[in-house]
Amino acid sequence: MIHVGIVGSEGYAVGELYSLLLNHPDVRLDKVYAPNRRGMKVSELFNDLRDYKSLTFTDEDDFEGLDLLFICLPTGHSERFQREYHLPPELKLIDFSHEHRLAKGDGYVYGLPEAYREEIMAAQKVSVPGSLAMAIELPLIPLAKNMVLNHPLHINSVAGKTEAFARPTPDTTLSYEVIFDNFHVFNPFNHSHEEEVKTILTDLQKSFKQELNLIPMRGNYNRGIYTTAYLNTHIELSVIRQMYEEYFEDKPFVKIVDEYPDVRDTVNTNALLIHVSKHADRLLIVSTMDNLMKGAAGNAIQIMNLMFGLVETTGLQIKPSVF
């Protein structure tokens, strides 16, 4: 049994993490450290956990006896927490902030299992990628591994509202007005995850120096990220398709599909669906995933499974909510 603790209480992805851990067959969630909510039941904050009324937030900062600690603090607070609190040297860490994703020499491994599985299995500390960055990186890995990213990339990525308001406040709850009848562009060509994507693609394809044109958008749905990317290549579609099928053959959560996927195809799962097609010399890659699952909490569980030598899919075999 893996004894697990969580630091932090806010956000939709954190709520998803609680639920996944409580239902994981090889995990015991022993501690949820959130001093500002001391004594409050977790089920009071996340109603879907009403069956776990004994789980309460604590202000006790003793982390002895834990095997793993999930750090779910706002960016800017994670590194300070690790400096100020005594953490047992053998304690494994999985961090959700962006502070350690691309840092060199701090001992953190970038938590993209489809690219860095062996490194994660041997790691003491792993940083969970940004969900938008992951939604772009994952569908491009086979191209990078085969040195095919040799032309400018044009990417549109549409995120659901739980991505836009990852840490809800009283004035940004997911009301009808917030979710529906609204669709807009934000931070075009200047999103904070762009550098993360470029760094990982360059690591996978050392020669990658191409322009990356990213237009992020916010869609009128609750959860999911729908990404389209295209670039020029003379390589035949059958060869491209074979690259994808061979690379992802042993990656259990990534599937190559024959039709354009829908956002709802991956909601509530840890799956990523990819469709590739050629249009003259343009290669189009279309993908979708759940931003709270594969984009955050589900990927963190996948990372945990690898770090502790469990079957990668343990606790993540969930049916999509397609209706």
Side-chain angles (χ1 to χ4, degrees), residues 39-242:
M40 179 182 182
K41 291 182 174 61
V42 174
S43 59
E44 293 179 56
L45 187 62
F46 297 100
N47 293 334
D48 60 318
L49 301 178
R50 59 178 59 88
D51 291 339
Y52 300 94
K53 293 182 179 179
S54 62
L55 185 64
T56 59
F57 297 107
T58 180
D59 62 351
E60 296 178 5
D61 57 0
D62 180 4
F63 302 101
E64 294 288 343
L66 296 180
D67 300 306
L68 171 68
L69 187 65
F70 289 93
I71 302 176
C72 307
L73 297 172
T75 292
H77 293 76
S78 174
E79 187 176 355
R80 185 173 66 192
F81 168 82
Q82 294 178 59
R83 286 198 314 266
E84 293 179 356
Y85 288 79
H86 172 71
L87 300 179
E90 69 279 4
L91 181 64
K92 294 181 184 290
L93 303 177
I94 296 178
D95 183 21
F96 277 77
S97 79
H98 80 230
E99 295 170 60
H100 303 282
R101 288 176 191 163
L102 303 177
K104 300 291 185 181
D106 65 356
Y108 272 87
V109 168
Y110 190 72
L112 193 63
E114 288 74 16
Y116 302 108
R117 178 187 281 166
E118 292 184 1
E119 292 87 342
I120 292 170
M121 290 175 69
Q124 182 79 14
K125 300 185 288 185
V126 178
S127 182
V128 179
S131 56
L132 191 67
M134 195 189 314
I136 298 166
E137 294 159 1
L138 276 170
L140 297 177
I141 292 176
L143 301 180
K145 285 289 191 177
N146 285 278
M147 308 289 287
V148 176
L149 299 179
N150 301 315
H151 292 275
L153 282 163
H154 304 271
I155 303 166
N156 292 317
S157 201
V158 186
K161 296 302 180 178
T162 49
E163 170 73 11
F165 302 116
R167 293 182 179 275
T169 60
D171 59 338
T172 60
T173 54
L174 294 184
S175 64
Y176 179 91
E177 291 77 13
V178 169
I179 298 176
F180 298 104
D181 301 328
N182 196 16
F183 194 106
H184 64 277
V185 172
F186 70 104
N187 297 334
F189 309 110
N190 191 36
H191 193 278
S192 59
H193 287 187
E194 265 192 47
E195 192 59 36
E196 187 175 339
V197 173
K198 290 178 182 177
T199 299
I200 297 306
L201 293 181
T202 302
D203 185 55
L204 299 176
Q205 178 181 320
K206 304 302 182 186
S207 63
F208 178 75
K209 294 181 174 61
Q210 301 305 318
E211 189 176 59
L212 194 153
N213 303 289
L214 171 61
I215 302 179
M217 290 175 275
R218 289 174 178 155
N220 58 347
Y221 52 87
N222 193 355
R223 54 198 286 170
I225 300 182
Y226 198 85
T227 302
T228 62
Y230 71 88
L231 71 158
N232 285 352
T233 180
H234 296 300
I235 302 174
E236 294 292 330
L237 178 60
S238 59
V239 177
I240 295 288
R241 173 85 182 218
Q242 185 176 0

Side-chain angles (χ1 to χ4, degrees), residues 4-8 11-24 27 29 46 48-49 68-72 94 96 292-293 296-302 304:
V4 170
I6 296 176
V7 172
Y12 299 112
V14 181
E16 203 82 337
L17 180 63
Y18 293 149
S19 181
L20 290 171
L21 289 171
L22 288 168
N23 288 284
H24 194 290
V27 165
L29 181 54
F46 297 100
D48 60 318
L49 301 178
L68 171 68
L69 187 65
F70 289 93
I71 302 176
C72 307
I94 296 178
F96 277 77
L292 299 182
M293 287 290 294
N299 191 57
I301 297 296
Q302 186 179 354
M304 177 192 71

